[in-house]
């Protein structure tokens, strides 16, 4: 165990991971393994808040696990498992359903986006999704949570729930977990619309780069990415009203580790005919090794299942005692 604190983060197994997941979260997860005690979870119970085909869900749990390992999550250094194998997540979520208030959940913008116009038809699980997320984090008493910008509101709710639990029972039990949000690529946007987020649930595959895309797919998607007719500016301020151009420069920055200013000093004054091929080459350099490794891992699905089972045992060793304490605090079991 390392000393800087405890990291928890999760990703839903609802299809292929994309460049937004990678730059907004997973790249950071990999780096944090050096200094932190890290727990990474494939959140399959979150996935079933919207309908899933059982065959696809089973496949997706393995694929996302393989993708995380291929991206650099090392199961011998970090705890890696799928959520449904560790029952304390759901158990603590129920407790938090009895702490969080309807008014708090009513403010959650992700529910509004996902439920769309037909709220009456959304599952109760989709509505209560953020209390399960709070339970994921707090059943490990995690101190830091690396996520993309879109999860910030859920993290604020998690902090409110921790505080409310502590004050309801007059204890200092749950910590206030800190969100860790990347600066450059906290919100990677769609390749077809610079004002909407790159997302697994977008019906058009052309809007995102999946970590499993072939070299040709990547080149085509970037070539066809929406841009404007102007050349790139020489300074970052020149991107202010150009969401698509800004998104591509930010992706370049996230992947290369170079600042936007540095990139624009090189490409400023040039058109997308020059910038896009350079970006495509960079994306391929990062993604191709990941998809190759992922395919190797998927050739042995039993090995992935064994890793997940072993990760779940390690997770359970932490969450079991935390839930015992929670039950004592609430009065469900003797002190
Ligand atoms: P999910 O599965 O949608 O995404 C996983 C991670 O990727 C980030 N992300 C993005 N970052 C930048 N640009 C984008 N376009 C983009 N799209 C996704 C997300 O912010 C996330 O960090 N509710 C979470 C999963 C979850 C969780 C947790 C996370 C469940 N329990 C506990 C942290 C802690 C989700 O749906 O992520």
């Amino acid at each position: 165990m390392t000393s800087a604190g405890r990291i928890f983060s999760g990703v839903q197994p609802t299809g292929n991971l994309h460049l937004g997941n990678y730059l907004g979260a997973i790249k950071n997860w990999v780096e944090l393994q050096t200094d932190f005690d890290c727990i990474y979870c494939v959140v399959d119970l979150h996935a079933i808040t919207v309908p899933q085909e059982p065959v696809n869900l089973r496949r997706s749990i393995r694929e996302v696990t393989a993708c995380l390992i291929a991206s650099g999550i090392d199961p011998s250094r970090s705890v890696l498992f799928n959520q449904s194998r560790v029952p304390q997540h759901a158990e603590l979520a129920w407790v938090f359903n009895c702490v969080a208030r309807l008014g708090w959940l009513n403010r959650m913008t992700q529910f509004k986006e996902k439920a769309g116009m037909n709220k009456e038809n959304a599952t109760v699980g989709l509505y209560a999704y953020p209390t399960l997320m709070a339970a994921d984090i707090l059943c490990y008493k995690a101190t830091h949570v690396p996520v993309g910008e879109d999860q910030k509101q859920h993290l604020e709710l998690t902090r409110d729930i921790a505080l409310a639990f502590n004050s309801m029972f007059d204890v200092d039990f749950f910590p206030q977990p800190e969100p860790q949000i990347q600066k450059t690529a906290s919100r990677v946007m769609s390749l077809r619309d610079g004002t909407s987020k790159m997302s697994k649930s977008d019906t058009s595959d052309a809007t995102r780069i999946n970590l499993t895309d072939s070299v040709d797919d990547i080149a085509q998607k970037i070539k066809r990415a929406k841009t404007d007719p102007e050349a790139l500016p020489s300074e970052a301020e020149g991107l202010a009203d150009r969401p698509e151009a800004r998104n591509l420069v930010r992706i370049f920055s996230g992947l290369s580790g170079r600042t936007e200013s540095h990139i624009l000093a090189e490409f400023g004054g040039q058109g997308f005919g020059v910038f896009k091929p350079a970006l495509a080459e960079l994306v391929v350099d990062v993604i191709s090794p990941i998809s190759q490794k992922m395919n190797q891992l998927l050739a042995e699905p039993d090995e992935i299942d064994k890793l997940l089972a072993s990760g779940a045992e390690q997770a359970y060793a932490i969450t079991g005692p935390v839930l015992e304490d929670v039950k004592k605090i609430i009065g469900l079991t003797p002190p």
Side-chain angles (χ1 to χ4, degrees):
M1 223 178 251
T2 42
S3 57
R6 178 173 282 164
I7 296 279
F8 180 93
S9 202
V11 57
Q12 295 197 58
T14 44
N16 289 319
L17 298 191
H18 53 68
L19 205 54
N21 299 128
Y22 180 74
L23 289 176
I26 294 156
K27 187 167 176 281
N28 200 12
W29 295 10
V30 173
E31 287 158 14
L32 290 163
Q33 293 179 115
T34 318
D35 293 324
F36 288 83
D37 155 29
C38 295
I39 301 160
Y40 296 126
C41 184
V42 178
V43 291
D44 46 11
L45 295 177
H46 278 98
I48 61 167
T49 56
V50 294
Q52 301 291 338
E53 281 294 332
V55 184
N56 294 345
L57 181 59
R58 254 190 297 275
R59 190 183 54 229
S60 226
I61 293 168
R62 285 183 179 145
E63 280 179 0
V64 167
T65 306
C67 193
L68 292 177
I69 299 171
S71 304
I73 302 299
D74 176 356
S76 67
R77 283 162 89 193
S78 299
V79 178
L80 177 63
F81 69 106
N82 56 315
Q83 189 184 27
S84 60
R85 288 177 191 252
V86 180
Q88 285 78 9
H89 288 245
E91 212 176 351
L92 187 58
W94 179 257
V95 172
F96 288 166
N97 281 340
C98 304
V99 172
R101 304 302 147 121
L102 283 181
W104 303 356
L105 288 177
N106 284 340
R107 287 198 285 275
M108 296 295 114
T109 52
Q110 188 166 299
F111 174 75
K112 290 178 197 158
E113 279 160 24
K114 288 200 172 173
M117 302 300 279
N118 196 357
K119 281 199 189 53
E120 294 296 310
N121 201 36
T123 65
V124 175
L126 188 66
Y127 183 74
Y129 179 113
T131 59
L132 178 57
M133 187 160 156
D136 296 340
I137 297 165
L138 293 172
C139 71
Y140 299 89
K141 296 190 170 181
T143 52
H144 298 81
V145 187
V147 282
E149 178 77 36
D150 61 339
Q151 298 300 317
K152 201 172 162 199
Q153 196 186 32
H154 289 159
L155 257 294
E156 281 158 10
L157 183 83
T158 301
R159 292 165 62 90
D160 288 345
I161 290 177
L163 211 59
F165 179 94
N166 288 350
S167 110
M168 255 168 102
F169 298 103
D170 197 20
V171 287
D172 184 15
F173 187 72
F174 287 121
Q176 287 272 285
E178 292 288 338
Q180 286 196 322
I181 296 175
Q182 297 273 65
K183 287 201 178 63
T184 35
S186 60
R187 197 171 169 83
V188 176
M189 307 310 271
S190 154
L191 296 179
R192 290 307 178 99
D193 171 5
T195 61
S196 73
K197 192 182 69 166
M198 185 178 283
S199 159
K200 283 176 231 168
S201 51
D202 198 308
T203 46
S204 162
D205 195 56
T207 59
R208 61 183 164 260
I209 292 174
N210 304 302
L211 298 190
T212 48
D213 280 347
S214 67
V215 173
D216 284 350
D217 285 341
I218 295 169
Q220 284 304 316
K221 284 179 181 178
I222 291 181
K223 195 171 169 193
R224 296 199 186 127
K226 186 177 168 199
T227 43
D228 54 44
E230 306 291 317
L232 279 164
S234 303
E235 319 241 321
E237 294 75 53
L239 293 170
D241 299 318
R242 301 174 64 186
E244 283 83 17
R246 187 178 55 211
N247 188 37
L248 295 187
V249 172
R250 285 192 175 162
I251 292 175
F252 199 112
S253 169
L255 288 169
S256 62
R258 290 166 59 186
T259 61
E260 287 175 37
S261 310
H262 199 251
I263 294 162
L264 293 174
E266 180 183 343
F267 289 98
Q270 308 206 56
F272 288 96
V274 176
F275 183 69
K276 281 181 169 179
L279 177 61
E281 203 180 308
L282 183 59
V283 173
V284 167
D285 281 350
V286 174
I287 283 185
S288 290
I290 297 179
S291 61
Q292 278 168 21
K293 178 93 206 287
M294 185 178 158
N295 286 333
Q296 282 166 15
L297 291 164
L298 286 170
E300 292 187 85
D302 292 350
E303 288 304 312
I304 297 179
D305 292 348
K306 269 192 221 156
L307 279 174
L308 288 171
S310 143
E313 263 178 48
Q314 298 166 54
Y316 186 85
I318 304 170
T319 57
V322 170
L323 260 287
E324 277 175 27
D325 287 345
V326 166
K327 287 180 188 166
K328 284 182 198 156
I329 290 170
I330 298 177
L332 295 170
T333 54

